[in-house]
Amino acid sequence: MSETIRAVRGMNDLLPADAPLWAFFEQNIREWLKSYGYREMRTPILEHTGLFKRAIGEVTDIVEKEMYTFVDALNGESMTLRPEGTASCVRAAIENNLLFDGGKRLWYAGPMFRHERPQKGRYRQFHQVGVEALGYAGPDLDIEHLLMTARLWKKLGLAEFIKLEINTLGGAEARASHRQKLIAYFAAHIDQLDADSQRRLHTNPLRILDSKNPAMQAMVEAAPRLIDELDAAARAHFEAVKRGLEDAGIDYQVNPRLVRGLDYYNYTVFEWVTDKLGAQGTVCAGGRYDGLVAQLGGKPAPACGFAMGVERLLVMMAEANLLPAPDVPDVYLVNVGDAAARYALTAAESLRDAGLSVVLHAGGGSFKTQMKKADASLARYAVLIGDDEVAANQVTVKPLREGDQQREQQRVALTEAIEFLKG
Ligand code: ATP
Ligand code: MG
């Protein structure tokens, strides 16, 4: 035998056993998004590298070390597998002039790619559902996003496991002045900064606040706070967001150190976090990014949005036993002998015409072996066709599950069997 070829590390197959949970999740997502009037977008998985460099920022973890970037051998261009969806969504909105008649509420879902160390809840191909509201300036949209995520956790049964943290990054001026103070502060404590943070001191000092290094915690805790630099407009926006949460009865915590790993954010940022996933605690994150549309070449338009990590949410659902009922067929169609096999093909189609789901036994075998398969399929009924049935132009219907067992096995014409099965 030749050597087996394995999947790329950190990239997972979705196997039939897990597919119902994904389908259940996706169904819920569609209903939920529809109930808020968001419309679906799909963008390519591959984009020009420049898009992500410009949108996410050169000095971010994603752009510095997580992107799958390669040179297209045909034309020498640098291409990147998308590491997130906001940049593509905004690019597509600009390119297709979606904002010509005002704001748009959009969503997308699909695989994202980041070259990280794989572990539970962290993969190299993972899936996000993302929501973007383009062209809206007011805090009402920030609030809408927080209320809608809160509603989703309830809908999925996860509300008790996930908590909301919010912060504001203020406007450009507040960030610039805070940046100067941060650099001065961290420069004064340079001996306490780890190598990563020293490297970031002048490029992205805000990210030092996000450091998980325990040795730096006390020093970072005492760093100058952005929240103290806010101008009146930023303060009013943040107050309105908090008031919206309070009006809706949603618990939250202000975390002044919450900065997010992407450069495009301003004003509100938020994360929904859990303690159920170890270090991979953030299941959904987002905020306002008023400058991004203009930064990508569009007519300036304010915007906000968020993305959730599907795998992390599904791990939580599986661990909390919030699993959908398994997918089972209505009928397992047992057929023994050549004539029966022929009859079974058309009988199965007739059953499907009537709206029933049918697994047609394939591969032959005795009644006994086929009935074992019927049982294992979890089908509610077996429909049996053998020589006797073919001769009489009938089928035998056998209930397989408790609750259906009081219905007697019977040999009837196919039309009668259909009525019985649908009854
Ligand atoms: P983290 O701090 O966990 O690295 P992040 O800040 O890089 O997350 P975002 O870019 O905000 O994450 O992406 C939004 C969500 O996508 C995250 O909150 C998380 O649920 C999910 N996510 C991000 N990276 C991965 C990954 N490598 N594998 C699985 N899910 C991920
Ligand atoms: Mg990350």
Side-chain angles (χ1 to χ4, degrees), residues 389-423:
E389 281 83 0
V390 173
N393 198 19
Q394 287 181 323
V395 298
T396 297
V397 180
K398 186 176 163 56
L400 295 177
R401 305 295 147 208
E402 229 161 279
D404 295 321
Q405 301 279 17
Q406 72 271 28
R407 305 182 75 184
E408 293 285 305
Q409 165 168 338
Q410 49 180 299
R411 212 175 95 183
V412 292
L414 186 59
T415 46
E416 254 179 83
I418 288 173
E419 244 159 65
F420 176 86
L421 290 167
K422 298 200 72 172

Side-chain angles (χ1 to χ4, degrees), residues 245-264:
L245 289 171
E246 282 150 24
D247 289 347
I250 294 173
D251 285 337
Y252 66 90
Q253 185 126 44
V254 175
N255 174 1
R257 283 179 56 181
L258 184 64
V259 298
R260 308 287 307 119
L262 304 86
D263 276 358
Y264 49 60

Side-chain angles (χ1 to χ4, degrees), residues 61-62 66 114 116 122 207 312:
D61 280 351
I62 294 179
E66 296 174 358
R114 298 187 192 178
E116 307 195 66
R122 191 177 293 287
R207 286 289 279 156
R312 292 186 191 178

Side-chain angles (χ1 to χ4, degrees), residues 38-213:
Y38 281 73
R39 297 175 69 201
E40 186 177 5
M41 295 255 299
R42 298 188 190 190
T43 63
I45 281 168
L46 201 60
E47 298 271 3
H48 297 292
T49 303
L51 172 66
F52 303 116
K53 285 196 176 169
R54 206 196 297 176
I56 298 169
E58 298 263 6
V59 199
T60 56
D61 280 351
I62 294 179
V63 172
E64 277 184 339
K65 51 189 187 203
E66 296 174 358
M67 294 204 306
Y68 280 89
T69 295
F70 62 93
V71 174
D72 184 333
L74 292 180
N75 58 15
E77 275 188 59
S78 180
M79 313 297 280
T80 295
L81 290 175
R82 63 181 187 195
E84 55 105 53
T86 303
S88 308
C89 182
V90 170
R91 181 211 35 79
I94 297 169
E95 195 167 339
N96 297 285
N97 199 21
L98 291 190
L99 302 184
F100 79 101
D101 63 347
K104 290 288 174 294
R105 289 174 161 96
L106 306 168
W107 71 274
Y108 56 81
M112 307 293 162
F113 302 84
R114 298 187 192 178
H115 201 281
E116 307 195 66
R117 197 166 66 77
Q119 51 200 292
K120 180 179 170 188
R122 191 177 293 287
Y123 311 101
R124 291 179 173 176
Q125 174 177 321
F126 63 100
H127 295 76
Q128 286 185 342
V129 173
V131 165
E132 318 288 356
L134 307 182
Y136 303 97
D140 48 338
L141 259 291
D142 308 49
I143 297 166
E144 176 169 290
H145 287 176
L146 294 167
L147 300 198
M148 74 193 276
T149 38
R151 177 183 295 273
L152 181 63
W153 315 141
K154 256 194 229 153
K155 190 173 166 75
L156 296 174
L158 293 174
E160 62 181 302
F161 307 123
I162 310 179
K163 289 195 182 63
L164 176 61
E165 294 189 358
I166 63 172
N167 191 22
T168 176
L169 301 182
E173 264 174 43
R175 274 208 308 290
S177 114
H178 177 240
R179 191 188 146 94
Q180 289 319 315
K181 289 186 184 163
L182 263 191
I183 293 176
Y185 174 83
F186 286 132
H189 296 85
I190 190 118
D191 51 318
Q192 292 178 49
L193 294 182
D194 59 21
D196 238 10
S197 301
Q198 289 192 9
R199 198 171 44 80
R200 286 191 167 128
L201 178 57
H202 292 281
T203 52
N204 200 348
L206 208 56
R207 286 289 279 156
I208 301 176
L209 294 178
D210 211 18
S211 162
K212 309 267 183 322
N213 183 345

Side-chain angles (χ1 to χ4, degrees), residues 321-337:
N321 251 321
L322 299 163
L323 299 172
D327 251 341
V328 300
D330 297 315
V331 171
Y332 193 94
L333 188 40
V334 169
N335 56 97
V336 181

